[in-house]
Amino acid sequence: MHIILVEDDLQLGAAIQRALERLSYKVTWLTDGADAVAAMQEALADLVLLDLGLPGKDGLDVLMEARQSHIRTPVLILTARDAVQARVHGLDAGADDYLTKPFHLDELAARIRSLTRRMQGLADNRIEAGALCLDLATLEVTFHGRKVELTRKELTLLQALMERAGRLVRRDTLESSLYGSDKVVGDSALDVLVHSLRRKLSFDAIQNVRAYGYMIPRDPQ
C-alpha cells in the first residue's frame, strides 16, 4: 500500500514515516503543500495523510483542488486545528477522516486500517479469508462456521494477518503490532503465539517463510 504523507513538521513526519514503513507501507513524504496536488495526480497512491498548516499552499486548499481535479484518493487529515468548525470544513472539502494532533501512532495505524477496509468494501467491519471470518465489532472469529475463542494477542495477530491475506507479513511488522515498537520481546514470542493460533485454527491456516514472516492464504484450509 502506497501512502503519500504531507507534513512539514520534520520530527513528526520522520516518526510517521518510520512507523508506517515498519508496517510495510510504502511512504512518499512531502513537506510543501504546493507539491502535494502534483504528487496526488502523478503517484499511484492508495491513501493521503494531509496536514492542514502547510507552507506553499494550505492543506485545505490542496484537498479542494484535488477533489476539483477529480482525484478520489482517500484523504486522512492530520492537524492541530481541533475546533469543530475546522473539522467540518475539512470533511466538507472531501476528507475521508480527521485526526487531531497530538495523536498516538497506534491510533493513526488503526485509522489507516479502517480506511483500507472501507476502500475494500469492508465497511461492515468483517474481514474474511475463505472460511475464516473476523468480526471487528464483536471480536468474534469463526472458521468453517465454528466459533474460535482467542486471546487478545491472538486476535491482534490474526487481524494483522487477515488484513494482508495472501501477502507475506514481516516479523518486525507483526511484532510492532503486537508489542509496540518500544518494547523488547524474546525472539520466540511471535513463534509461540503463531503456534497457539495454528492449534486453534489449523496448521495450514498460517504459512511462514523461516526467519522472515508469516502469511494467511486468501483461502486458508
Side-chain angles (χ1 to χ4, degrees):
M1 183 174 179
H2 179 201
I3 296 175
I4 293 177
L5 168 63
V6 191
E7 171 59 66
D8 66 317
D9 184 313
L10 299 183
Q11 185 175 1
L12 178 59
I16 292 173
Q17 184 177 39
R18 284 195 304 270
L20 295 183
E21 287 179 345
R22 282 180 62 87
L23 295 173
S24 298
Y25 296 114
K26 175 185 176 183
V27 180
T28 298
W29 177 22
L30 306 172
T31 59
D32 192 294
D35 299 328
V37 175
M40 292 169 68
Q41 291 173 332
E42 296 170 3
L44 296 176
D46 300 291
L47 178 68
V48 178
L49 304 180
L50 178 65
D51 183 32
L52 293 187
L54 295 168
K57 182 177 292 187
D58 185 79
L60 197 59
D61 293 331
V62 169
L63 178 58
M64 290 189 292
E65 186 174 335
R67 294 309 189 220
Q68 289 167 1
S69 300
H70 305 291
I71 297 171
R72 295 291 174 252
T73 308
V75 174
L76 170 57
I77 288 179
L78 310 175
T79 183
R81 302 175 191 175
D82 59 355
V84 172
Q85 198 58 41
R87 293 197 295 271
V88 170
H89 284 325
L91 295 170
D92 284 346
D96 296 271
D97 201 355
Y98 202 109
L99 190 56
T100 303
K101 299 175 183 178
F103 52 82
H104 196 285
L105 290 172
D106 285 346
E107 182 180 4
L108 174 60
R111 297 290 187 98
I112 291 173
R113 291 194 298 268
S114 177
L115 280 173
T116 301
R117 291 195 299 271
R118 197 183 310 168
M119 290 155 49
Q120 295 172 341
L122 300 173
D124 61 353
N125 276 334
R126 289 167 59 89
I127 308 177
E128 296 183 354
L132 182 60
C133 178
L134 168 59
D135 189 320
L136 295 172
T138 63
L139 299 182
E140 182 177 280
V141 176
T142 57
F143 189 43
H144 293 287
R146 171 178 58 89
K147 187 174 180 179
V148 183
E149 297 291 342
L150 301 180
T151 66
R152 183 176 62 84
K153 288 292 188 188
E154 289 168 348
L155 274 168
T156 302
L157 172 60
L158 182 65
Q159 180 178 344
L161 291 170
M162 289 187 69
E163 286 175 340
R164 304 165 178 84
R167 292 183 289 154
L168 188 66
V169 187
R170 290 166 37 180
R171 292 183 63 92
D172 58 351
T173 296
L174 294 171
E175 288 169 347
S176 179
S177 296
L178 288 163
Y179 308 109
S181 58
D182 57 346
K183 295 186 178 180
V184 177
V185 296
D187 292 338
S188 63
L190 176 61
D191 302 313
V192 170
L193 194 61
V194 169
H195 178 71
S196 175
L197 192 53
R198 279 172 165 163
R199 287 181 58 199
K200 293 182 179 182
L201 299 173
S202 76
F203 182 81
D204 294 328
I206 302 176
Q207 300 174 355
N208 73 294
V209 173
R210 187 176 298 277
Y212 187 84
Y214 291 95
M215 176 182 73
I216 282 186
R218 294 192 181 277
D219 190 4
Q221 302 300 311

